[in-house]
Amino acid sequence: MLWNGLSILRTNKLLSLPPSSATLQLTALRHPSLRPFKIATAALCALIFATAMSGGLVAGLDAGLIYNDFPYMGVGLTPPKSELFDKFYSHVPADERGEHSDLIWRNMLENPSLVQLDHR
């Protein structure tokens, strides 16, 4: 929504300028030296979006009640390794090699310890 609003304001500003001045501004925005800044800005927006979405998972699982002393999660900055990818959250039986095919993504979405670590 913010992106659309800024786009409308930019378009309105460009339409109020003389055509030569508007062309110069648009050319300046397409300069190759701005590419790293645009990539960094998009990456930051993606990270903020992922943090906000994982915050919904933390709230839905009540994961904030497990480790509520920031920045520590128990005795360290991360929970114990045994809690991160627990086989309890896998709903697919182990195959002949003893591996669960849904172990990673189920834990990322359903394991409160890992969801809270992702959110942090």
Side-chain angles (χ1 to χ4, degrees):
M1 202 161 37
L2 176 65
W3 191 266
N4 289 335
L6 291 174
S7 175
I8 290 169
L9 288 175
R10 184 180 64 175
T11 304
N12 188 23
K13 181 180 178 185
L14 288 174
L15 289 175
S16 65
L17 294 174
S20 60
S21 177
T23 305
L24 285 174
Q25 279 195 353
L26 289 175
T27 306
L29 289 175
R30 290 189 196 109
H31 197 272
S33 64
L34 289 176
R35 183 165 171 74
F37 177 71
K38 290 178 182 180
I39 291 172
T41 302
L44 181 64
C45 288
L47 186 63
I48 290 171
F49 180 77
T51 302
M53 293 299 107
S54 66
L57 291 172
V58 169
L61 292 171
D62 290 331
L65 300 175
I66 297 173
Y67 296 112
N68 54 7
D69 49 347
F70 184 81
Y72 295 106
M73 298 180 80
V75 292
L77 292 175
T78 62
K81 199 174 203 177
S82 61
E83 291 183 16
L84 290 182
F85 290 102
D86 194 0
K87 291 179 178 40
F88 173 76
Y89 297 101
S90 178
H91 297 290
V92 175
D95 59 8
E96 60 274 355
R97 293 176 294 181
E99 296 177 358
H100 298 270
S101 62
D102 65 344
L103 181 68
I104 293 175
W105 70 269
R106 288 272 186 186
N107 273 281
M108 294 285 278
L109 297 175
E110 296 179 5
N111 184 348
S113 297
L114 189 57
V115 166
Q116 189 174 15
L117 179 65
D118 291 340
H119 180 63
R120 287 185 178 189

